Amino acid sequence: MSLAPLIDFMVRGGPALWVIAALSVLTLTLFFWRVIGLAQAGVWHKRQTEAWLEQWSVEGAAPACAGSTPLDRVTLSAIRALLTPEFSPEIAEKETIRIAKAELATLRRGLRPLELIAAIAPLVGLLGTVLGMIGAFQALQESSSGADPSVLAGGIWEALLTTAAGMAVAIPASALVSWIEGLTEREQAAMEDATTRVFTAAATHPALRHAAE
């Protein structure tokens, strides 16, 4: 397959189109990196938190197995912190919050670059269009009365390529940011609910309060 048409297309768009092409490659790379990272973090694994919470509310004991999802790990850390003799309930809560923040930070990795791409890609496209329009009108001025309208139209068409390309990159980047943010917010809400249930059970059930102490 010949790359000549693609190279010709990029040349017509000017330097701005090359920058947008680089941003598109970066966006695609970030997408695969985050999907792999989220899978490794266990976001889509089966959760064991509900069973652990039932066990905690009845027996006041920590689960024997390790968690495979962010929610599981935060819930387990809350239970183990309450069962640590050196920790008061306040210290146990702070330790749980520390681990929850670390888990959420892992889920949010890569958001800043994606947000930046979503913000600057349309601006780079607009800059390319403005520069292309300037070039087209300069050519029109230099040709004076012998100007060919088709030449001007062709110059404007080529200039508008960068605007379309910038939007084509910004839209997927914005969608990816929204998806990761939504996933992180759902995990955060689940973590807050689970840890509240852990600390509430320890505070309201005498046996669990004794186990926590």
Side-chain angles (χ1 to χ4, degrees):
M1 182 178 178
S2 176
L3 295 178
L6 177 60
I7 295 176
D8 181 65
F9 178 81
M10 298 295 295
V11 170
R12 288 188 177 188
L17 195 56
W18 288 99
V19 174
I20 293 170
L23 292 176
S24 68
V25 173
L26 181 57
T27 301
L28 191 61
T29 302
L30 288 171
F31 169 74
F32 285 113
W33 175 59
R34 289 314 304 135
V35 169
I36 294 172
L38 292 171
Q40 291 176 340
V43 171
W44 297 296
H45 292 180
K46 183 178 180 181
R47 296 175 176 177
Q48 306 177 68
T49 298
E50 198 61 38
W52 289 353
L53 290 173
E54 292 180 6
Q55 177 184 348
W56 169 249
S57 64
V58 174
E59 302 175 8
C65 57
S68 60
T69 72
L71 177 60
D72 288 346
R73 290 190 288 271
V74 171
T75 303
L76 185 59
S77 69
I79 294 174
R80 288 179 175 173
L82 282 170
L83 293 176
T84 301
E86 295 82 4
F87 287 177
S88 66
E90 291 77 16
I91 295 177
E93 183 178 358
K94 290 181 180 180
E95 176 66 11
T96 303
I97 292 173
R98 182 187 68 82
I99 295 175
K101 286 182 177 179
E103 291 287 348
L104 293 172
T106 299
L107 298 181
R108 290 193 175 100
R109 283 178 185 170
L111 278 183
R112 289 300 178 89
L114 285 170
E115 290 173 346
L116 182 61
I117 290 172
I120 68 173
L123 297 179
V124 173
L126 182 59
L127 176 62
T129 296
V130 171
L131 294 177
M133 295 284 284
I134 291 173
F137 282 108
Q138 281 180 338
L140 178 63
Q141 181 184 19
E142 292 172 359
S143 62
S144 186
S145 59
D148 185 355
S150 63
V151 175
L152 178 61
I156 294 175
W157 175 80
E158 292 173 4
L160 290 175
L161 283 177
T162 57
T163 297
M167 292 180 179
V169 172
I171 292 172
S174 298
L176 185 55
V177 168
S178 179
W179 174 59
I180 295 176
E181 282 285 10
L183 187 150
T184 303
E185 288 174 2
R186 288 194 297 271
E187 286 293 318
Q188 181 175 355
M191 289 175 185
E192 292 174 352
D193 178 73
T195 54
T196 298
R197 292 168 65 183
V198 169
F199 282 92
T200 300
T204 56
H205 292 72
L208 295 182
R209 185 163 57 246
H210 176 72
E213 294 173 353

